[in-house]
Amino acid sequence: MSTLETAAHPERLCRVAIDPLSRVEGHGKVTLLTDRDHHIRQARLHIVEFRGFEKFIQGRPYWEVPVAVQRLCGICPVSHNLAAAKAVDQLVGAPEIPPTAEKIRRLMHYGQTLQSHAVHFFHLASPDFLFDFDDPTAHRNIGGVMADYPDIARQGVRLRKYGQEVIRVTAGKRIHGTGTVPGGVNKSLTVQERNYLLTDLDLLIQWGRNIVKLVKQAYALNPGYFTHFATIRTNYLSLIGADGALDLYHGGLRARNERGEILFDHLDYRRYSQVLREQVKPWSYMKFPFINSLGPEQGWYRVGPLARINNCDRIATPLAEEERREFMALGEGQPVHVTLAYHWARMIELLHAAEAIRELLLDPDIFGDELVARGEMTREGVGVIEAPRGTLFHHYRINEDGLIEKANLIVSTTNNNQAMNESIRQVAEHYLDGKELSEPLLNQIEVAVRAYDPCLSCATHALGKMPLIVELVEEESGAVVDCLVRDADGTFHSSY
Amino acid sequence: MSEELGFTLDGRRIPFQDGQTVMAAALAAGVYIPHLCFNPDFAPHGSCRVCLVKVNGRFQASCTTPAASGLTVQSETEELRNIRRGILQMLFVEGNHVCPACEKSGACQLQAVAYYVGMLNPHFSHFYPRRPVDASHAEAVIDFNRCILCELCVRASRDVDGKNIFAVQGRGIQAHLVVNTPSGKLGATHFSIHDKAAQVCPTGAILTKHQGYNVPIGQRLYDRKPINVVGDVAQLPESKGGRRHD
């Protein structure tokens, strides 16, 4: 871990804030503390939003939860909906749902992955690839992309629109639909809907191939920079299919260390709390998860496209598999640790999502009428899914009446919290240290954060778990006369 | 041959029979007057005030005003629309009506009437009352957050089901729905999901347990046509989206 997390004497340092972080989901900021010689002494990524979903769904009926918690996010609400739905499936005794229901959910999920990856790459991140760091800020955005590269911008908009249409057809609405029900889904597809979604899909797959090529070209133009920028050696965590293939909807947990060695594999995700823990730090609303056996110092990990491509043995769709092989060659037998390669991995997944949608649309099961399964009720359910931004955990416990008693959500961006902080510290150390800070230099910090595609609004769902210190200070002398501390477990004590 | 009885509603002649109210006659003639606590299966209540009209220049609840020959009734005026919108806004902020997560959304009379009167925001500050959900019953769940005190469940349980399970307790702003048992829990009653009281709620306050969102978006009762065309959810057969608990 970097030594830049906490400066020894912050009171003597100059504070520079990047607030708000631009072109990311949600609201966050980065603070840098520098000394007189412009050396960076502290770098932190802060999440400044405050949500509260874990708390306010307590006391609500369990069957309402998948629809309620998807309001965590407007970019990938399907992830929250499906993770919660999978947990609710266990509550209603139906961990296995009918094939039609699972395929409709997968279709919904791949549609979401496609649109979310498209919106991140084209709308948010593409200026980082297409323009220089010192490009004027007024131009370094989707507007600039539309002006200079209209074909790329148009493809981004069309790809996103298509993904949204897949969601609309399966969930009823493009955003915040209600397709899932306890134990299944509420509709299958009609032939007309299938035919509508097949229209132009081959063209979109071709665009997916083109965009992977574009990222590869950007990498080839400056391999030294790409390989080094914000790069950190980490562990990786993701779901993995039973056959070792990339699976975004269901599977067991697999973790690798930085050398690519398996730490645990095909672990039933209902046992996630045995292998993962969360650390709370006083300066952030976002928790810091880590692999329990390695401890908080060594056990933090990365999730998301880079982790998934590093973790899987293969991809089931041919074009994406071809790209995966080329991508993995970068690592020379080890995981690819290049942080900017998140974009590359993300576009491989976009291509995979488009291919997977085509396979599902050609599967007759999507027209089936067995939509729901039910069994013996249970009191606890854990749903895990690979959201566009990484592994997403939803864990619910209900009382005997079916009301939510306890909820624990570990969202994708939270998993990447330590890694994002380490990446900005790496950038601060290697690219900013000793230099007078300017907007283009600070932009490099944002480029590092943006590679992870963080969703900061999702990551701040917790309530009542953050440590809090309230100090009573005498007005004239400035002396602390009393201090009340709330610990991470919610207990209060006076520390004065 | 006697002359047909009638009054005018927004300039249109509405025939009526002796004993009918303005509301009943209007609905029989196919003219919609927005309402929430009115249900033709029960005696008029006049409590929600959403059906407010102007009768010969005076404000009256159309569900309790007897129809009479020669009346001039105004309903679809800007003035009345504004008043109704205000009433709906007050109903929304007084409870916790979270439509985005509510299973009844799309088939909710309160929501449909709000759309009908053009309510686009709550306008007033939310009360955010703390009202726990009662899920103690095996078949049904009561979400008091969504109760608008129309007393339809009270009337249905008392007058049709003969069980007298519900009551309204307190006065004024303190008024609230209660379950008539020492514990106050629905699970301690003989309530059945097949009771009339389970079928008359114009909001999502009384719902079937363990299920939700079974009707896809686009096929819900008010997804395609407004309430003045579709009618009240409690009055429709199951095949048309009503009476889901039969």
Side-chain angles (χ1 to χ4, degrees), chain B residues 137 139-140 191-195 198-199 206-209 245-246:
Chain B
H137 194 273
E139 298 172 327
F191 182 79
S192 161
I193 201 66
H194 303 294
D195 285 354
Q199 301 162 13
I206 301 177
L207 290 173
T208 307
K209 210 170 172 182
H245 305 306
D246 282 348

Side-chain angles (χ1 to χ4, degrees), chain A residues 119-327:
Chain A
V119 79
H120 178 260
F121 184 80
F122 292 96
H123 298 65
L124 305 179
S126 65
D128 299 339
F129 282 83
L130 300 171
F131 307 130
D132 293 333
F133 281 126
D134 54 359
D135 191 62
T137 49
H139 177 261
R140 201 173 56 217
N141 52 47
I142 184 65
V145 176
M146 288 172 77
D148 294 5
Y149 302 93
D151 287 345
I152 291 176
R154 201 173 296 120
Q155 286 177 15
V157 171
R158 285 276 304 276
L159 279 163
R160 177 167 197 242
K161 181 184 175 188
Y162 180 79
Q164 296 284 63
E165 280 298 281
V166 174
I167 297 169
R168 183 187 62 77
V169 168
T170 50
K173 281 166 67 186
R174 292 180 186 87
I175 304 174
H176 300 140
T178 59
T180 61
V181 295
V185 295
N186 63 16
K187 75 183 283 276
S188 54
L189 255 62
T190 64
V191 174
Q192 289 81 1
E193 288 170 332
R194 190 275 303 270
N195 292 344
Y196 166 67
L197 291 178
L198 277 175
T199 312
D200 295 338
L201 182 52
D202 288 341
L203 177 64
L204 300 181
I205 291 172
Q206 184 55 46
W207 287 353
R209 296 183 80 178
N210 293 347
I211 205 64
V212 178
K213 198 171 160 188
L214 178 78
V215 179
K216 284 193 290 191
Q217 284 169 347
Y219 189 94
L221 279 175
N222 198 349
Y225 162 74
F226 266 82
T227 305
H228 185 70
F229 182 83
T231 292
I232 46 176
R233 293 180 66 84
T234 64
N235 308 301
Y236 294 97
L237 176 83
S238 71
L239 283 183
I240 198 79
D243 57 355
L246 175 72
D247 197 322
L248 303 179
Y249 177 74
H250 194 63
L253 289 171
R254 172 181 281 180
R256 289 186 194 272
N257 65 16
E258 63 177 71
R259 294 181 299 281
E261 297 157 351
I262 298 277
L263 295 170
F264 50 82
D265 204 6
H266 299 294
L267 184 89
D268 183 343
Y269 58 63
R270 287 173 292 188
R271 292 169 48 211
Y272 79 97
S273 61
Q274 294 174 13
V275 292
L276 300 178
R277 290 277 189 277
E278 292 177 284
Q279 187 185 26
V280 175
K281 297 191 180 184
W283 53 269
S284 179
Y285 281 140
M286 192 155 63
K287 291 182 274 190
F288 292 80
F290 59 93
I291 295 166
N292 193 28
S293 60
L294 300 178
E297 292 291 315
Q298 303 295 324
W300 52 277
Y301 52 86
R302 292 200 272 189
V303 299
L306 184 65
R308 291 190 288 251
I309 302 296
N310 273 329
N311 260 354
C312 72
D313 302 330
R314 63 187 186 86
I315 298 178
T317 56
L319 298 176
E321 170 62 7
E322 195 181 310
E323 296 294 348
R324 183 196 71 85
R325 287 170 184 269
E326 188 176 339
F327 177 87

Side-chain angles (χ1 to χ4, degrees), chain B residues 85-166:
Chain B
R85 197 180 299 131
I87 293 168
L88 264 296
Q89 286 166 327
M90 286 189 276
L91 285 174
F92 269 86
V93 301
E94 189 270 337
N96 294 309
H97 298 278
V98 189
C99 296
C102 181
E103 195 268 330
K104 200 70 178 284
S105 187
C108 170
Q109 194 174 334
L110 176 67
Q111 185 188 53
V113 172
Y115 277 128
Y116 179 80
V117 301
M119 181 187 144
L120 299 177
N121 59 54
H123 183 74
F124 303 108
S125 297
H126 283 272
F127 284 22
Y128 295 126
R130 291 178 72 90
R131 298 177 186 166
V133 173
D134 181 354
S136 58
H137 194 273
E139 298 172 327
V141 59
I142 299 187
D143 190 341
F144 294 102
N145 296 287
R146 300 169 182 163
C147 178
I148 58 169
L149 299 175
C150 67
E151 291 197 32
L152 277 168
C153 60
V154 177
R155 289 179 271 167
S157 184
R158 182 189 60 216
D159 302 340
V160 179
D161 304 326
K163 296 182 178 177
N164 203 23
I165 285 172
F166 302 104

